Amino acid sequence: MHLKGLTEECHLVMRLNESQRCFFIRNTPDCNQDGGFLNYLETAFCLFPTNLLPLAIFFYVLWLLFLFIVLGLTASKFFCPNLSAISATLKLTHNVAGVTFLALGNGAPDVFSAMAAFSRPQTAGLAIGALFGAGIFVTTIVAGSVSLVKPFTVASRPFLRDIIFYMAAVFWTFLILYKGQIHLGEVLGYLCLYVGYVLTVIISAYIYNRQKHFINGPLQNGSNHVPDLQSDTDESSSLPNSGIQDYEYQPLLTCTESTSQIFLKSLNPVDIRKWRRKPWYWRAFKVIKVPIEVILLLSVPVVDPDKEDRNWKRPLNCLHLITGPLICVLTFQSGEYGLLYIQGGFPVWALTLLIGLFLCAIIFWSTTNYQPPRFHFLFSLLGFLVSAMWMNTAATEVVSLLRTLGVVFSLSNTVLGLTLLAWGNSIGDCFSDITIARQGYPRMAISACFGGIIFNMVFGVGLGCLLQMIAHDNMVKLQPEGLLVWVLAVALGCSLAFSFILVPLQCFHLGRPYGAFLLLFYAVFLLVALLTEFGKITVG
């Protein structure tokens, strides 16, 4: 049978007969998958029989959870430590490092997911839904949970500063969606907004330090009056400790380990002492993560400035000179460039392998096992690049998977972004912020809530659109998927407006009633969003 409308949206495939779906997927331009290693749509509708489509969806959901684990693990264990090492090497202050490298490390999954979604017009709705959905989730669920766990008085000026800048970023995004397009000047202005935020943080910290120094002067002369400036600080001099400290036990007699022993020990991601005191569910989750950690350990170097040897593992770091560049070449653009041939005869990946072997041999024979070389800090740059490529690859697969689930279940990209993608990228931040609040650091937790999402919004939209402009045109079209996008924008705007008005009215004290109000607000928003998605709420 001749199929009409091959330029229609890919969601129409579920309206066709079972025998027509595979042909529709292969011949509809909207169903093409530009990035990623697997074509999930073609696999689901062409490789699996129709009666086994639920089984394919089950495997896809498991694979989606696995990719979220890869994203979170790569960001926390490899991306963030290397960013910390880079900031330490550059000797950045805590303020600058916190709003630049630390913000990038904490928001890496969101930023990379948004960049992967913006790379294709078909999935741009995923990025909008994820960024707006994550913003609502963090400012309501996470902030509300912190208020319920540990009522406290928030730092007034930093709180208002973060709220104002985030409202400006949301309003800018709202205008772009209303216009339906974004130009190069607007993208650069988007990025300049974050530069202004960074400068504001630095200047406010400088003013606070000057005031503190001025007030501490009379104290040295015997004054007993101590003005309270602590309420306006957003920097903490100490970080929260874990419930049980990990002590490094030093053996009485030191022994020299061989190169092979160092290599095998550096590939072991399990701490036996921690394993023994953890509950069974932690151990079960650890068993799932061990294969991922081993693969990442084999390919991503990590530099730790806090250790005496800066985490120098000579045999493993030499291997990283081979595996790291190979991973970058084979994951960039899904291996499109790594599989090319130089002058039609020599593949790019083979040339990368030879260069890596050459560097590996030089470093191995010119260094020792127990003394890191002077150029060891360069491994943090390699680790940053390789971990970024791993996260970009996982984020691209997540976006492709979510689009496939949207086609199968007839869901818009926006609702998938504000639910699955936003939850998957934000759930780790939720648990970590609640843990920090329980340990007595609620101000640090609430600062992470609002400071990180500013970076995610600005760089998620800004860099995503900028990369698409570089690859295609000087203008990116953003077509909102119906009423749901405006529900998202209004809900996020109301959430920020409530925080901007209600928190100062409470003298900046966040108590349990306010936390319960934020949780109720998110429940109402989610209900309205789902009713809008399924056509129960319409306009006109």
Side-chain angles (χ1 to χ4, degrees), residues 327-365:
I327 293 296
C328 293
V329 168
L330 295 177
T331 56
F332 182 69
Q333 295 292 329
S334 302
E336 179 181 349
Y337 294 99
L339 300 178
L340 293 177
Y341 287 85
I342 301 175
Q343 295 183 352
F346 200 74
V348 174
W349 67 266
L351 178 62
T352 306
L353 178 61
L354 290 178
I355 296 175
L357 287 171
F358 178 72
L359 294 176
C360 175
I362 293 177
I363 301 302
F364 186 82
W365 294 111

Short mmCIF file of all heavy atoms in Angstrom, two decimals, residues 327-365:
data_model
loop_
_atom_site.label_atom_id
_atom_site.label_comp_id
_atom_site.label_asym_id
_atom_site.label_seq_id
_atom_site.Cartn_x
_atom_site.Cartn_y
_atom_site.Cartn_z
N ILE A 327 38.84 7.10 23.03
CA ILE A 327 37.45 7.35 23.41
C ILE A 327 36.95 8.66 22.80
O ILE A 327 35.84 8.74 22.28
CB ILE A 327 37.31 7.38 24.94
CG1 ILE A 327 37.57 5.98 25.53
CG2 ILE A 327 35.94 7.87 25.36
CD1 ILE A 327 36.58 4.94 25.10
N CYS A 328 37.78 9.69 22.84
CA CYS A 328 37.39 10.98 22.27
C CYS A 328 37.12 10.88 20.77
O CYS A 328 36.14 11.42 20.26
CB CYS A 328 38.47 12.02 22.54
SG CYS A 328 38.69 12.46 24.28
N VAL A 329 37.99 10.16 20.06
CA VAL A 329 37.85 10.03 18.62
C VAL A 329 36.63 9.19 18.26
O VAL A 329 35.87 9.52 17.33
CB VAL A 329 39.13 9.43 18.01
CG1 VAL A 329 38.90 9.02 16.57
CG2 VAL A 329 40.27 10.44 18.08
N LEU A 330 36.39 8.10 18.99
CA LEU A 330 35.32 7.17 18.65
C LEU A 330 33.95 7.60 19.17
O LEU A 330 32.94 7.05 18.74
CB LEU A 330 35.65 5.77 19.18
CG LEU A 330 36.87 5.10 18.55
CD1 LEU A 330 37.14 3.75 19.20
CD2 LEU A 330 36.68 4.93 17.05
N THR A 331 33.90 8.56 20.10
CA THR A 331 32.61 9.05 20.58
C THR A 331 32.23 10.39 19.99
O THR A 331 31.04 10.76 20.03
CB THR A 331 32.62 9.18 22.12
OG1 THR A 331 33.70 10.03 22.53
CG2 THR A 331 32.77 7.82 22.78
N PHE A 332 33.17 11.14 19.42
CA PHE A 332 32.84 12.42 18.82
C PHE A 332 31.99 12.21 17.57
O PHE A 332 32.38 11.49 16.65
CB PHE A 332 34.12 13.18 18.47
CG PHE A 332 33.88 14.54 17.89
CD1 PHE A 332 33.37 15.56 18.69
CD2 PHE A 332 34.14 14.81 16.56
CE1 PHE A 332 33.14 16.82 18.17
CE2 PHE A 332 33.91 16.07 16.03
CZ PHE A 332 33.40 17.08 16.84
N GLN A 333 30.82 12.82 17.58
CA GLN A 333 29.86 12.66 16.47
C GLN A 333 29.59 11.18 16.20
O GLN A 333 29.48 10.75 15.05
CB GLN A 333 30.38 13.34 15.21
CG GLN A 333 30.49 14.85 15.31
CD GLN A 333 29.15 15.55 15.41
OE1 GLN A 333 28.15 15.08 14.87
NE2 GLN A 333 29.12 16.65 16.12
N SER A 334 29.47 10.41 17.29
CA SER A 334 29.17 8.97 17.22
C SER A 334 30.17 8.21 16.35
O SER A 334 29.81 7.27 15.63
CB SER A 334 27.75 8.75 16.69
OG SER A 334 26.81 9.41 17.51
N GLY A 335 31.43 8.60 16.43
CA GLY A 335 32.48 7.90 15.69
C GLY A 335 32.55 8.23 14.22
O GLY A 335 33.28 7.57 13.47
N GLU A 336 31.82 9.26 13.79
CA GLU A 336 31.78 9.60 12.36
C GLU A 336 33.15 9.98 11.83
O GLU A 336 33.52 9.59 10.71
CB GLU A 336 30.79 10.74 12.15
CG GLU A 336 30.67 11.20 10.71
CD GLU A 336 29.69 12.34 10.55
OE1 GLU A 336 28.95 12.63 11.51
OE2 GLU A 336 29.67 12.94 9.46
N TYR A 337 33.91 10.72 12.64
CA TYR A 337 35.23 11.16 12.19
C TYR A 337 36.31 10.14 12.54
O TYR A 337 37.33 10.05 11.85
CB TYR A 337 35.57 12.52 12.80
CG TYR A 337 34.67 13.62 12.32
CD1 TYR A 337 33.60 14.05 13.11
CD2 TYR A 337 34.87 14.23 11.09
CE1 TYR A 337 32.75 15.06 12.67
CE2 TYR A 337 34.02 15.24 10.65
CZ TYR A 337 32.97 15.66 11.44
OH TYR A 337 32.14 16.64 11.01
N GLY A 338 36.10 9.38 13.60
CA GLY A 338 37.09 8.38 13.97
C GLY A 338 37.21 7.24 12.98
O GLY A 338 38.26 6.60 12.88
N LEU A 339 36.14 6.99 12.22
CA LEU A 339 36.14 5.91 11.24
C LEU A 339 36.55 6.37 9.84
O LEU A 339 36.53 5.57 8.91
CB LEU A 339 34.75 5.26 11.19
CG LEU A 339 34.27 4.64 12.51
CD1 LEU A 339 32.87 4.08 12.35
CD2 LEU A 339 35.23 3.55 12.98
N LEU A 340 36.89 7.66 9.70
CA LEU A 340 37.34 8.13 8.40
C LEU A 340 38.75 7.61 8.09
O LEU A 340 39.49 7.22 8.98
CB LEU A 340 37.34 9.66 8.37
CG LEU A 340 35.97 10.37 8.44
CD1 LEU A 340 36.16 11.87 8.47
CD2 LEU A 340 35.09 9.96 7.27
N TYR A 341 39.09 7.64 6.81
CA TYR A 341 40.41 7.19 6.36
C TYR A 341 41.21 8.38 5.85
O TYR A 341 40.70 9.24 5.13
CB TYR A 341 40.27 6.14 5.25
CG TYR A 341 39.81 4.79 5.74
CD1 TYR A 341 38.46 4.52 5.89
CD2 TYR A 341 40.73 3.80 6.06
CE1 TYR A 341 38.02 3.29 6.35
CE2 TYR A 341 40.32 2.56 6.52
CZ TYR A 341 38.97 2.32 6.67
OH TYR A 341 38.55 1.08 7.13
N ILE A 342 42.47 8.44 6.26
CA ILE A 342 43.37 9.50 5.82
C ILE A 342 43.88 9.16 4.42
O ILE A 342 44.54 8.13 4.23
CB ILE A 342 44.55 9.66 6.80
CG1 ILE A 342 44.01 10.00 8.19
CG2 ILE A 342 45.50 10.75 6.31
CD1 ILE A 342 45.09 10.06 9.24
N GLN A 343 43.54 9.99 3.44
CA GLN A 343 43.91 9.76 2.04
C GLN A 343 43.45 8.40 1.55
O GLN A 343 44.10 7.75 0.74
CB GLN A 343 45.42 9.92 1.86
CG GLN A 343 45.92 11.34 2.12
CD GLN A 343 47.40 11.49 1.86
OE1 GLN A 343 48.11 10.51 1.64
NE2 GLN A 343 47.87 12.74 1.89
N GLY A 344 42.34 7.94 2.12
CA GLY A 344 41.73 6.71 1.65
C GLY A 344 42.41 5.43 2.06
O GLY A 344 41.99 4.35 1.62
N GLY A 345 43.43 5.51 2.94
CA GLY A 345 44.14 4.27 3.25
C GLY A 345 44.37 3.99 4.72
O GLY A 345 44.45 2.83 5.12
N PHE A 346 44.46 5.02 5.56
CA PHE A 346 44.82 4.81 6.96
C PHE A 346 43.72 5.40 7.84
O PHE A 346 43.44 6.61 7.76
CB PHE A 346 46.17 5.47 7.28
CG PHE A 346 46.84 4.91 8.50
CD1 PHE A 346 47.43 3.67 8.47
CD2 PHE A 346 46.85 5.64 9.68
CE1 PHE A 346 48.05 3.15 9.59
CE2 PHE A 346 47.46 5.13 10.80
CZ PHE A 346 48.07 3.87 10.76
N PRO A 347 43.09 4.61 8.71
CA PRO A 347 41.98 5.14 9.52
C PRO A 347 42.46 6.09 10.60
O PRO A 347 43.58 5.98 11.12
CB PRO A 347 41.36 3.87 10.13
CG PRO A 347 42.45 2.85 10.11
CD PRO A 347 43.30 3.16 8.90
N VAL A 348 41.59 7.02 10.97
CA VAL A 348 41.93 8.01 11.98
C VAL A 348 42.14 7.37 13.34
O VAL A 348 43.05 7.74 14.10
CB VAL A 348 40.83 9.10 12.05
CG1 VAL A 348 41.09 10.06 13.20
CG2 VAL A 348 40.74 9.85 10.73
N TRP A 349 41.32 6.37 13.67
CA TRP A 349 41.46 5.74 14.97
C TRP A 349 42.80 5.01 15.10
O TRP A 349 43.40 4.98 16.19
CB TRP A 349 40.31 4.76 15.22
CG TRP A 349 40.30 3.54 14.34
CD1 TRP A 349 39.64 3.38 13.17
CD2 TRP A 349 41.03 2.32 14.56
NE1 TRP A 349 39.88 2.14 12.63
CE2 TRP A 349 40.73 1.47 13.48
CE3 TRP A 349 41.88 1.87 15.55
CZ2 TRP A 349 41.26 0.19 13.36
CZ3 TRP A 349 42.41 0.58 15.46
CH2 TRP A 349 42.10 -0.24 14.36
N ALA A 350 43.30 4.46 14.01
CA ALA A 350 44.59 3.78 14.05
C ALA A 350 45.73 4.78 14.26
O ALA A 350 46.69 4.50 15.01
CB ALA A 350 44.81 2.99 12.76
N LEU A 351 45.64 5.95 13.61
CA LEU A 351 46.64 6.98 13.83
C LEU A 351 46.62 7.46 15.29
O LEU A 351 47.68 7.65 15.91
CB LEU A 351 46.38 8.16 12.89
CG LEU A 351 47.32 9.36 13.04
CD1 LEU A 351 48.76 8.96 12.72
CD2 LEU A 351 46.86 10.51 12.14
N THR A 352 45.42 7.62 15.84
CA THR A 352 45.30 8.00 17.25
C THR A 352 45.91 6.95 18.16
O THR A 352 46.59 7.27 19.15
CB THR A 352 43.82 8.22 17.61
OG1 THR A 352 43.23 9.16 16.71
CG2 THR A 352 43.67 8.72 19.03
N LEU A 353 45.70 5.68 17.82
CA LEU A 353 46.27 4.59 18.62
C LEU A 353 47.79 4.62 18.58
O LEU A 353 48.46 4.45 19.62
CB LEU A 353 45.74 3.25 18.10
CG LEU A 353 46.28 1.99 18.79
CD1 LEU A 353 45.92 1.99 20.27
CD2 LEU A 353 45.73 0.74 18.11
N LEU A 354 48.38 4.85 17.41
CA LEU A 354 49.84 4.88 17.29
C LEU A 354 50.43 6.05 18.08
O LEU A 354 51.45 5.91 18.76
CB LEU A 354 50.24 4.97 15.82
CG LEU A 354 49.97 3.72 14.97
CD1 LEU A 354 50.36 3.97 13.52
CD2 LEU A 354 50.73 2.53 15.53
N ILE A 355 49.79 7.21 18.00
CA ILE A 355 50.28 8.36 18.75
C ILE A 355 50.19 8.10 20.26
O ILE A 355 51.10 8.43 21.03
CB ILE A 355 49.50 9.63 18.37
CG1 ILE A 355 49.74 9.98 16.90
CG2 ILE A 355 49.88 10.80 19.26
CD1 ILE A 355 48.91 11.15 16.40
N GLY A 356 49.09 7.47 20.69
CA GLY A 356 48.94 7.14 22.09
C GLY A 356 49.98 6.15 22.58
O GLY A 356 50.53 6.30 23.68
N LEU A 357 50.30 5.14 21.76
CA LEU A 357 51.33 4.17 22.13
C LEU A 357 52.70 4.85 22.24
O LEU A 357 53.49 4.53 23.15
CB LEU A 357 51.37 3.05 21.09
CG LEU A 357 50.22 2.05 21.12
CD1 LEU A 357 50.29 1.13 19.90
CD2 LEU A 357 50.26 1.23 22.40
N PHE A 358 52.97 5.77 21.35
CA PHE A 358 54.25 6.49 21.38
C PHE A 358 54.38 7.31 22.67
O PHE A 358 55.40 7.27 23.38
CB PHE A 358 54.37 7.37 20.15
CG PHE A 358 55.61 8.21 20.10
CD1 PHE A 358 56.85 7.63 19.85
CD2 PHE A 358 55.55 9.58 20.32
CE1 PHE A 358 58.00 8.40 19.82
CE2 PHE A 358 56.69 10.36 20.28
CZ PHE A 358 57.93 9.75 20.04
N LEU A 359 53.31 8.08 23.01
CA LEU A 359 53.34 8.88 24.24
C LEU A 359 53.39 8.00 25.48
O LEU A 359 54.08 8.33 26.46
CB LEU A 359 52.12 9.80 24.29
CG LEU A 359 52.03 10.89 23.22
CD1 LEU A 359 50.72 11.65 23.35
CD2 LEU A 359 53.21 11.84 23.34
N CYS A 360 52.68 6.88 25.43
CA CYS A 360 52.66 5.95 26.57
C CYS A 360 54.07 5.42 26.85
O CYS A 360 54.50 5.36 28.01
CB CYS A 360 51.69 4.81 26.30
SG CYS A 360 51.68 3.52 27.55
N ALA A 361 54.77 5.05 25.81
CA ALA A 361 56.13 4.51 25.99
C ALA A 361 57.06 5.57 26.57
O ALA A 361 57.87 5.29 27.46
CB ALA A 361 56.66 4.00 24.65
N ILE A 362 56.95 6.81 26.07
CA ILE A 362 57.83 7.88 26.57
C ILE A 362 57.57 8.16 28.06
O ILE A 362 58.51 8.24 28.87
CB ILE A 362 57.62 9.16 25.73
CG1 ILE A 362 58.12 8.95 24.30
CG2 ILE A 362 58.35 10.34 26.37
CD1 ILE A 362 57.89 10.15 23.41
N ILE A 363 56.29 8.29 28.43
CA ILE A 363 55.96 8.59 29.82
C ILE A 363 56.32 7.42 30.74
O ILE A 363 56.82 7.63 31.86
CB ILE A 363 54.46 8.93 29.96
CG1 ILE A 363 54.10 10.14 29.08
CG2 ILE A 363 54.09 9.22 31.41
CD1 ILE A 363 54.88 11.38 29.40
N PHE A 364 56.11 6.20 30.28
CA PHE A 364 56.38 5.04 31.14
C PHE A 364 57.87 4.93 31.47
O PHE A 364 58.25 4.62 32.60
CB PHE A 364 55.89 3.77 30.44
CG PHE A 364 55.98 2.54 31.30
CD1 PHE A 364 54.99 2.26 32.23
CD2 PHE A 364 57.06 1.67 31.20
CE1 PHE A 364 55.06 1.13 33.03
CE2 PHE A 364 57.15 0.54 32.00
CZ PHE A 364 56.15 0.28 32.91
N TRP A 365 58.74 5.17 30.50
CA TRP A 365 60.18 5.00 30.72
C TRP A 365 60.84 6.24 31.31
O TRP A 365 62.00 6.17 31.74
CB TRP A 365 60.87 4.62 29.42
CG TRP A 365 60.46 3.27 28.91
CD1 TRP A 365 59.73 3.01 27.80
CD2 TRP A 365 60.76 2.01 29.50
NE1 TRP A 365 59.52 1.66 27.65
CE2 TRP A 365 60.16 1.01 28.69
CE3 TRP A 365 61.46 1.60 30.66
CZ2 TRP A 365 60.25 -0.34 28.98
CZ3 TRP A 365 61.54 0.25 30.95
CH2 TRP A 365 60.94 -0.71 30.12
#
